[in-house]
Amino acid sequence: MAKTIQAIRGMNDCSPTESPLWQWVETQVREVLNSYGYSEVRMPIVESTPLFARAIGEVTDVVSKEMYTFWDNDEQLTLRPEGTAGCVRAAIEHGWIYNNEQRLWYMGPMFRHERPQKGRYRQFHQAGVEVFGIANPEIDAELIVLTARLWKKLGIDQHVSLQLNSIGSLEARANYRSALVAFLEQHQALMSEEEKERLIKNPLRILDTKNQALQQVLDDAPKLLDYLDDESREHFAQLCALLDSVGIAYEINPKLVRGLDYYNKTVFEWVTSALGAQGTVCGGGRYDGLVEQLGGHAAPGVGFAMGLERLVLLVQEVNASIPLKSAVDIYLVYQGEGTALAAFQLAEKIRSALPHLGTMLHCSGGNFKKQFRRADKSGATLALVIGESEMLNNQVVVKHLQGGVEQQTLDIEKVIDYIQSQF
Ligand code: HAM
């Protein structure tokens, strides 16, 4: 036998048994976004490499070591590691946000060359939202209540919590950065080589270090909230008041800075302890300078993205009552001269009359015993049986595969009404 070829490490298939749960999660996401009046956008998976370098930042982990980049003739291209950069690029290119507000969402695969583990993959899927043209904290609050509503719908609201911070203006952050570096320089003995490098290139990222000794020291480090400019401080206070007014609980985490460089003011993450190390199911924040930085007319922006693999894992872990429906409702079996044609036609008639049901025709021959085994395996509620005598009498036998009801023989023209009465 020829040698088989396997999927790339960290890139997963979604099997026929897993896809119903994925579809259910995606449907809940779409329903919530529609109920807030947001519009879907779809961007290419491949973009020009400098877009990500400029938007996300050269010294971030994502850009410096996690991007899938390749040359296409003389142009350097990258598989998108996230959706914000491409969405801002598209919004500028097509004039979506020129003198206009937009509340947009997208869903699709993203690519990061990270070390795979549970909840962390090299191809993963995000559902993301980007809102342009609104500076007020009401919209930051709307994004957070929108996600909270989704967690309720998914049945995971008791298992996620909200971490919130404000990282202020660029200037406030620069002042804070100097104070933090001055503090951390006294503790270099506790740092790994990577952390020492971060101290020079991106010191704020040291705040979310996993190094426990350093974490302890950081409790006494200067706090970003103490360095906020007045406008950011007021914006944050209003956001907190809005969340309080609708009963959304949050923890202000002064060490939350996020891993991408475009943020200012609000940053937030929804985290869970039910998934091990990869516990962030959703992250986002405000990025008021990004549109201008990428060449557009200045426009404020705010958004978030959630990891669908992590949401699916969490739903599997904590929500046992998902109303997942089998793909097949009705399974047609047939045996004998001329029955294939009759069954084929009946299946099409049912699909025309009852398009919301899944109707499967057996197709692959064999005796009734084998066909019924397949029908049972399909998860269908009803089997419709056409043998030679049924065909000659224009009849169909209806069998309830989940038990409980006697099988019966119906005239073929009554079958559709009967099926309708059963679903
Ligand atoms: P991010 O925090 O890099 O933000 O990613 C958002 C979410 O994507 C994470 O919270 C996580 O659930 C999921 N995720 C990230 N990397 C992986 C991975 N390797 N495997 C599985 N899931 C992953 C952004 O991407 C920003 N663009 C969010 C945003 C939109 N900010 C403003 N607008």
Side-chain angles (χ1 to χ4, degrees):
M1 265 204 298
K3 195 166 176 278
T4 58
I5 297 171
Q6 314 258 303
I8 311 295
R9 207 163 101 80
M11 303 199 178
N12 300 315
D13 302 302
C14 181
S15 72
T17 50
E18 291 164 321
S19 61
L21 178 57
W22 273 83
Q23 287 177 354
W24 181 79
V25 168
E26 288 164 6
T27 301
Q28 309 313 304
V29 173
R30 285 198 178 89
E31 282 181 7
V32 169
L33 291 164
N34 288 340
S35 78
Y36 282 76
Y38 288 33
S39 307
E40 184 182 1
V41 285
R42 300 183 184 199
M43 288 83 63
I45 283 168
V46 181
E47 299 268 4
S48 153
T49 305
L51 171 69
F52 299 115
R54 266 169 72 184
I56 300 170
E58 295 275 5
V59 297
T60 56
D61 284 352
V62 170
V63 172
S64 65
K65 47 188 189 207
E66 294 171 1
M67 297 209 301
Y68 283 94
T69 293
F70 58 97
W71 287 96
D72 177 19
N73 293 326
D74 53 359
E75 196 177 4
Q76 203 178 23
L77 305 179
T78 292
L79 300 186
R80 62 182 187 191
E82 56 102 59
T84 310
C87 190
V88 172
R89 194 261 319 131
I92 297 170
E93 187 170 331
H94 306 296
W96 295 339
I97 48 178
Y98 185 53
N99 281 336
N100 204 3
E101 293 172 3
Q102 290 284 1
R103 302 180 197 200
L104 308 174
W105 66 270
Y106 50 84
M107 214 188 279
M110 309 290 162
F111 302 84
R112 296 185 192 175
H113 195 274
E114 296 191 82
R115 201 165 42 77
Q117 55 171 255
K118 182 182 172 189
R120 185 167 71 193
Y121 309 102
R122 291 181 171 173
Q123 174 174 337
F124 60 99
H125 297 77
Q126 282 186 346
V129 163
E130 313 295 348
V131 175
F132 298 104
I134 309 179
N136 291 340
E138 291 93 297
I139 193 69
D140 308 44
E142 176 170 298
L143 296 188
I144 289 171
V145 297
L146 180 160
T147 47
R149 188 179 293 276
L150 176 62
W151 310 147
K152 265 220 175 78
K153 252 171 108 73
L154 294 175
I156 59 172
D157 51 310
Q158 299 303 314
H159 303 269
V160 290
S161 61
L162 177 62
Q163 303 261 307
L164 194 60
N165 194 19
S166 175
I167 59 171
S169 65
L170 258 182
E171 210 184 359
R173 225 158 41 254
N175 290 338
Y176 173 68
R177 184 188 154 119
S178 311
L180 183 67
V181 170
F183 172 86
L184 285 172
E185 273 172 346
Q186 304 160 37
H187 300 283
Q188 290 208 42
L190 298 174
M191 290 184 191
S192 66
E193 285 313 307
E194 197 180 345
E195 282 156 349
K196 283 182 190 157
E197 202 182 313
R198 276 201 173 154
L199 184 59
I200 298 162
K201 289 189 174 161
N202 201 357
L204 266 59
R205 285 313 308 277
I206 296 182
L207 291 176
D208 57 18
T209 179
K210 301 224 156 48
N211 174 342
Q212 287 199 342
L214 203 54
Q215 268 177 0
Q216 265 180 2
V217 163
L218 280 169
D219 288 340
D220 300 322
K223 302 276 177 287
L224 185 46
L225 281 172
D226 296 331
Y227 285 75
L228 285 194
D229 49 296
D230 289 344
E231 195 196 321
S232 300
R233 196 186 298 278
E234 179 55 24
H235 193 275
F236 191 56
Q238 287 177 24
L239 169 60
C240 293
L242 285 161
L243 295 177
D244 293 340
S245 77
V246 290
I248 301 271
Y250 53 86
E251 183 192 339
I252 296 178
N253 176 358
K255 292 181 187 163
L256 180 68
V257 289
R258 309 265 306 126
L260 315 165
D261 275 359
Y262 44 63
Y263 294 109
N264 70 310
K265 291 188 178 155
T266 313
V267 289
F268 67 92
E269 282 185 356
W270 286 96
V271 295
T272 178
S273 53
L275 293 182
Q278 302 306 317
T280 308
V281 293
C282 175
R286 190 162 268 288
Y287 48 86
D288 293 332
L290 185 58
V291 174
E292 195 175 17
Q293 189 187 318
L294 292 179
H297 294 275
V302 58
F304 65 79
M306 49 192 136
L308 294 180
E309 280 78 3
R310 293 183 192 178
L311 286 179
V312 167
L313 280 169
L314 188 55
V315 166
Q316 271 171 332
E317 200 102 359
V318 305
N319 183 350
S321 60
I322 311 156
L324 289 185
K325 176 179 146 334
S326 159
V328 183
D329 300 299
I330 301 153
Y331 196 98
L332 276 87
V333 302
Y334 52 93
Q335 192 186 349
E337 187 73 23
T339 58
L341 189 69
F344 189 79
Q345 287 177 332
L346 178 59
E348 278 299 284
K349 220 166 119 189
I350 298 169
R351 290 167 189 142
S352 296
L354 306 169
H356 58 290
L357 297 180
T359 302
M360 185 173 275
L361 182 65
H362 177 69
C363 289
S364 57
N367 59 25
F368 272 137
K369 196 168 163 215
K370 174 187 155 193
Q371 297 194 36
F372 274 114
R373 261 206 309 273
R374 284 282 167 78
D376 279 331
K377 219 169 153 188
S378 78
T381 308
L382 296 181
L384 304 186
V385 189
I386 303 183
E388 277 179 31
S389 63
E390 284 82 21
M391 193 193 62
L392 292 173
N393 296 325
N394 253 337
Q395 289 180 322
V396 177
V397 172
V398 182
K399 198 169 176 253
H400 284 255
L401 292 170
Q402 320 292 342
V405 185
E406 281 285 295
Q407 80 171 42
Q408 48 189 310
T409 304
L410 296 175
D411 288 342
I412 208 157
E413 63 269 18
K414 301 226 171 88
V415 169
I416 302 246
D417 282 348
Y418 181 78
I419 296 173
Q420 203 157 19
S421 71
Q422 299 301 303
F423 288 93

